[in-house]
Short mmCIF file of all heavy atoms in Angstrom, two decimals:
data_model
loop_
_atom_site.label_atom_id
_atom_site.label_comp_id
_atom_site.label_asym_id
_atom_site.label_seq_id
_atom_site.Cartn_x
_atom_site.Cartn_y
_atom_site.Cartn_z
N SER M 1448 -3.49 -4.64 -13.56
CA SER M 1448 -3.93 -3.39 -14.18
C SER M 1448 -5.16 -2.83 -13.44
O SER M 1448 -5.57 -3.37 -12.40
CB SER M 1448 -4.26 -3.67 -15.65
OG SER M 1448 -4.63 -2.47 -16.28
N VAL M 1449 -5.73 -1.76 -13.96
CA VAL M 1449 -6.90 -1.15 -13.29
C VAL M 1449 -8.02 -0.92 -14.31
O VAL M 1449 -8.82 -0.01 -14.17
CB VAL M 1449 -6.53 0.20 -12.63
CG1 VAL M 1449 -5.69 -0.01 -11.39
CG2 VAL M 1449 -5.80 1.11 -13.60
N GLU M 1450 -8.06 -1.76 -15.34
CA GLU M 1450 -9.09 -1.57 -16.38
C GLU M 1450 -10.31 -2.44 -16.09
O GLU M 1450 -10.17 -3.62 -15.80
CB GLU M 1450 -8.52 -1.94 -17.75
CG GLU M 1450 -7.43 -1.01 -18.24
CD GLU M 1450 -7.84 0.46 -18.27
OE1 GLU M 1450 -9.03 0.74 -18.53
OE2 GLU M 1450 -6.99 1.32 -18.03
N PRO M 1451 -11.51 -1.85 -16.21
CA PRO M 1451 -12.72 -2.66 -16.06
C PRO M 1451 -12.69 -3.80 -17.07
O PRO M 1451 -12.29 -3.60 -18.22
CB PRO M 1451 -13.86 -1.70 -16.38
CG PRO M 1451 -13.26 -0.34 -16.45
CD PRO M 1451 -11.78 -0.45 -16.55
N SER M 1452 -13.07 -4.98 -16.64
CA SER M 1452 -12.96 -6.12 -17.54
C SER M 1452 -14.27 -6.34 -18.30
O SER M 1452 -14.27 -6.90 -19.40
CB SER M 1452 -12.61 -7.39 -16.78
OG SER M 1452 -13.66 -7.72 -15.90
N GLY M 1453 -15.39 -5.93 -17.72
CA GLY M 1453 -16.67 -6.22 -18.36
C GLY M 1453 -16.91 -7.72 -18.43
O GLY M 1453 -17.72 -8.21 -19.20
N GLU M 1454 -16.18 -8.47 -17.61
CA GLU M 1454 -16.31 -9.93 -17.61
C GLU M 1454 -16.77 -10.40 -16.25
O GLU M 1454 -16.80 -9.64 -15.28
CB GLU M 1454 -14.94 -10.57 -17.90
CG GLU M 1454 -14.43 -10.32 -19.30
CD GLU M 1454 -12.98 -10.73 -19.46
OE1 GLU M 1454 -12.30 -10.96 -18.43
OE2 GLU M 1454 -12.53 -10.81 -20.61
N ALA M 1455 -17.10 -11.70 -16.18
CA ALA M 1455 -17.49 -12.28 -14.90
C ALA M 1455 -16.31 -12.28 -13.95
O ALA M 1455 -15.16 -12.21 -14.38
CB ALA M 1455 -18.00 -13.70 -15.10
N PHE M 1456 -16.60 -12.41 -12.63
CA PHE M 1456 -15.54 -12.31 -11.64
C PHE M 1456 -14.51 -13.42 -11.75
O PHE M 1456 -13.35 -13.26 -11.37
CB PHE M 1456 -16.11 -12.26 -10.21
CG PHE M 1456 -16.80 -13.53 -9.76
CD1 PHE M 1456 -16.07 -14.55 -9.15
CD2 PHE M 1456 -18.16 -13.69 -9.92
CE1 PHE M 1456 -16.70 -15.70 -8.73
CE2 PHE M 1456 -18.80 -14.84 -9.49
CZ PHE M 1456 -18.07 -15.85 -8.91
N ASN M 1457 -14.94 -14.58 -12.29
CA ASN M 1457 -14.00 -15.71 -12.33
C ASN M 1457 -13.51 -16.01 -13.75
O ASN M 1457 -13.13 -17.12 -14.07
CB ASN M 1457 -14.65 -16.95 -11.71
CG ASN M 1457 -15.95 -17.32 -12.39
OD1 ASN M 1457 -16.35 -16.66 -13.36
ND2 ASN M 1457 -16.59 -18.36 -11.91
N GLU M 1458 -13.50 -14.97 -14.59
CA GLU M 1458 -13.03 -15.15 -15.96
C GLU M 1458 -11.52 -15.47 -15.97
O GLU M 1458 -10.76 -14.89 -15.19
CB GLU M 1458 -13.29 -13.84 -16.73
CG GLU M 1458 -13.29 -13.96 -18.22
CD GLU M 1458 -14.34 -14.93 -18.74
OE1 GLU M 1458 -15.49 -14.89 -18.27
OE2 GLU M 1458 -13.98 -15.74 -19.62
N VAL M 1459 -11.14 -16.39 -16.84
CA VAL M 1459 -9.71 -16.70 -16.97
C VAL M 1459 -9.17 -15.75 -18.04
O VAL M 1459 -9.28 -16.01 -19.23
CB VAL M 1459 -9.51 -18.16 -17.43
CG1 VAL M 1459 -8.03 -18.54 -17.39
CG2 VAL M 1459 -10.31 -19.11 -16.55
N SER M 1460 -8.66 -14.59 -17.62
CA SER M 1460 -8.26 -13.60 -18.63
C SER M 1460 -7.06 -12.78 -18.16
O SER M 1460 -6.83 -12.61 -16.97
CB SER M 1460 -9.42 -12.64 -18.91
OG SER M 1460 -9.77 -11.96 -17.73
N LEU M 1461 -6.32 -12.26 -19.14
CA LEU M 1461 -5.20 -11.35 -18.87
C LEU M 1461 -5.24 -10.25 -19.92
O LEU M 1461 -5.82 -10.45 -21.00
CB LEU M 1461 -3.86 -12.09 -18.99
CG LEU M 1461 -3.56 -13.19 -17.96
CD1 LEU M 1461 -2.25 -13.88 -18.30
CD2 LEU M 1461 -3.50 -12.61 -16.55
N ASP M 1462 -4.64 -9.09 -19.63
CA ASP M 1462 -4.60 -8.05 -20.65
C ASP M 1462 -3.45 -8.31 -21.63
O ASP M 1462 -2.74 -9.31 -21.52
CB ASP M 1462 -4.55 -6.65 -20.02
CG ASP M 1462 -3.20 -6.32 -19.37
OD1 ASP M 1462 -2.26 -7.15 -19.47
OD2 ASP M 1462 -3.10 -5.25 -18.75
N GLU M 1463 -3.26 -7.37 -22.59
CA GLU M 1463 -2.25 -7.61 -23.63
C GLU M 1463 -0.83 -7.73 -23.06
O GLU M 1463 0.04 -8.36 -23.65
CB GLU M 1463 -2.27 -6.48 -24.66
CG GLU M 1463 -3.43 -6.60 -25.62
CD GLU M 1463 -3.89 -5.26 -26.14
OE1 GLU M 1463 -3.16 -4.26 -25.96
OE2 GLU M 1463 -4.99 -5.22 -26.72
N GLU M 1464 -0.62 -7.10 -21.92
CA GLU M 1464 0.71 -7.20 -21.31
C GLU M 1464 0.82 -8.38 -20.37
O GLU M 1464 1.79 -8.50 -19.61
CB GLU M 1464 1.04 -5.92 -20.56
CG GLU M 1464 1.26 -4.74 -21.50
CD GLU M 1464 1.25 -3.42 -20.75
OE1 GLU M 1464 1.88 -3.34 -19.69
OE2 GLU M 1464 0.61 -2.49 -21.25
N GLY M 1465 -0.19 -9.24 -20.38
CA GLY M 1465 -0.13 -10.43 -19.54
C GLY M 1465 -0.44 -10.17 -18.08
O GLY M 1465 -0.02 -10.93 -17.21
N ARG M 1466 -1.18 -9.09 -17.79
CA ARG M 1466 -1.55 -8.81 -16.39
C ARG M 1466 -3.05 -9.04 -16.22
O ARG M 1466 -3.83 -8.81 -17.15
CB ARG M 1466 -1.32 -7.33 -16.04
CG ARG M 1466 0.10 -6.89 -15.98
CD ARG M 1466 0.16 -5.38 -15.79
NE ARG M 1466 -0.57 -4.66 -16.84
CZ ARG M 1466 -0.71 -3.35 -16.88
NH1 ARG M 1466 -0.22 -2.60 -15.93
NH2 ARG M 1466 -1.37 -2.77 -17.88
N PRO M 1467 -3.48 -9.43 -15.02
CA PRO M 1467 -4.92 -9.44 -14.75
C PRO M 1467 -5.49 -8.04 -14.98
O PRO M 1467 -4.79 -7.05 -14.71
CB PRO M 1467 -5.02 -9.84 -13.28
CG PRO M 1467 -3.73 -10.51 -12.96
CD PRO M 1467 -2.71 -9.89 -13.85
N LEU M 1468 -6.74 -7.96 -15.45
CA LEU M 1468 -7.28 -6.64 -15.80
C LEU M 1468 -7.49 -5.71 -14.63
O LEU M 1468 -7.30 -4.52 -14.74
CB LEU M 1468 -8.60 -6.83 -16.57
CG LEU M 1468 -8.32 -7.24 -18.00
CD1 LEU M 1468 -8.94 -8.58 -18.32
CD2 LEU M 1468 -8.76 -6.17 -18.95
N ASN M 1469 -7.90 -6.26 -13.50
CA ASN M 1469 -8.08 -5.40 -12.32
C ASN M 1469 -8.12 -6.26 -11.06
O ASN M 1469 -8.30 -7.47 -11.13
CB ASN M 1469 -9.35 -4.52 -12.48
CG ASN M 1469 -10.62 -5.34 -12.44
OD1 ASN M 1469 -10.97 -5.92 -11.41
ND2 ASN M 1469 -11.32 -5.44 -13.57
N PRO M 1470 -7.94 -5.61 -9.91
CA PRO M 1470 -7.86 -6.39 -8.66
C PRO M 1470 -9.21 -6.83 -8.09
O PRO M 1470 -9.24 -7.47 -7.05
CB PRO M 1470 -7.18 -5.41 -7.69
CG PRO M 1470 -7.39 -4.07 -8.26
CD PRO M 1470 -7.70 -4.18 -9.70
N MET M 1471 -10.31 -6.51 -8.79
CA MET M 1471 -11.63 -6.85 -8.26
C MET M 1471 -12.13 -8.18 -8.84
O MET M 1471 -13.13 -8.72 -8.37
CB MET M 1471 -12.64 -5.74 -8.55
CG MET M 1471 -12.27 -4.40 -7.95
SD MET M 1471 -12.27 -4.39 -6.14
CE MET M 1471 -10.62 -3.79 -5.82
N ILE M 1472 -11.48 -8.67 -9.89
CA ILE M 1472 -11.84 -10.01 -10.39
C ILE M 1472 -10.85 -11.01 -9.78
O ILE M 1472 -9.80 -10.61 -9.27
CB ILE M 1472 -11.81 -10.07 -11.94
CG1 ILE M 1472 -10.45 -9.64 -12.50
CG2 ILE M 1472 -12.92 -9.21 -12.54
CD1 ILE M 1472 -10.29 -9.88 -13.99
N ASN M 1473 -11.19 -12.28 -9.86
CA ASN M 1473 -10.38 -13.27 -9.14
C ASN M 1473 -8.92 -13.29 -9.59
O ASN M 1473 -8.01 -13.40 -8.76
CB ASN M 1473 -10.99 -14.66 -9.29
CG ASN M 1473 -12.28 -14.79 -8.49
OD1 ASN M 1473 -12.82 -13.78 -8.02
ND2 ASN M 1473 -12.80 -16.00 -8.34
N ALA M 1474 -8.68 -13.15 -10.91
CA ALA M 1474 -7.29 -13.20 -11.39
C ALA M 1474 -6.47 -12.10 -10.72
O ALA M 1474 -5.34 -12.32 -10.26
CB ALA M 1474 -7.26 -13.04 -12.91
N GLY M 1475 -7.07 -10.91 -10.63
CA GLY M 1475 -6.36 -9.79 -10.00
C GLY M 1475 -6.23 -10.00 -8.50
O GLY M 1475 -5.19 -9.67 -7.90
N ALA M 1476 -7.26 -10.55 -7.89
CA ALA M 1476 -7.25 -10.70 -6.43
C ALA M 1476 -6.27 -11.78 -5.99
O ALA M 1476 -5.63 -11.65 -4.94
CB ALA M 1476 -8.65 -11.01 -5.93
N LEU M 1477 -6.14 -12.84 -6.79
CA LEU M 1477 -5.13 -13.86 -6.45
C LEU M 1477 -3.75 -13.22 -6.50
O LEU M 1477 -2.87 -13.50 -5.66
CB LEU M 1477 -5.22 -15.04 -7.44
CG LEU M 1477 -6.47 -15.93 -7.26
CD1 LEU M 1477 -6.77 -16.73 -8.54
CD2 LEU M 1477 -6.27 -16.89 -6.08
N THR M 1478 -3.57 -12.32 -7.46
CA THR M 1478 -2.28 -11.65 -7.60
C THR M 1478 -2.02 -10.69 -6.44
O THR M 1478 -0.94 -10.69 -5.84
CB THR M 1478 -2.20 -10.89 -8.94
OG1 THR M 1478 -2.58 -11.80 -9.97
CG2 THR M 1478 -0.82 -10.34 -9.20
N THR M 1479 -3.03 -9.86 -6.09
CA THR M 1479 -2.80 -8.91 -4.99
C THR M 1479 -2.57 -9.69 -3.69
O THR M 1479 -1.78 -9.28 -2.85
CB THR M 1479 -3.95 -7.91 -4.80
OG1 THR M 1479 -5.18 -8.62 -4.68
CG2 THR M 1479 -4.05 -6.95 -5.96
#
Side-chain angles (χ1 to χ4, degrees):
S1448 182
V1449 288
E1450 293 305 327
S1452 65
E1454 292 169 346
F1456 66 87
N1457 57 2
E1458 199 59 44
V1459 187
S1460 61
L1461 294 175
D1462 72 4
E1463 283 151 13
E1464 290 167 44
R1466 291 173 304 177
L1468 283 120
N1469 68 67
M1471 300 295 126
I1472 56 171
N1473 289 12
L1477 288 159
T1478 309
T1479 53

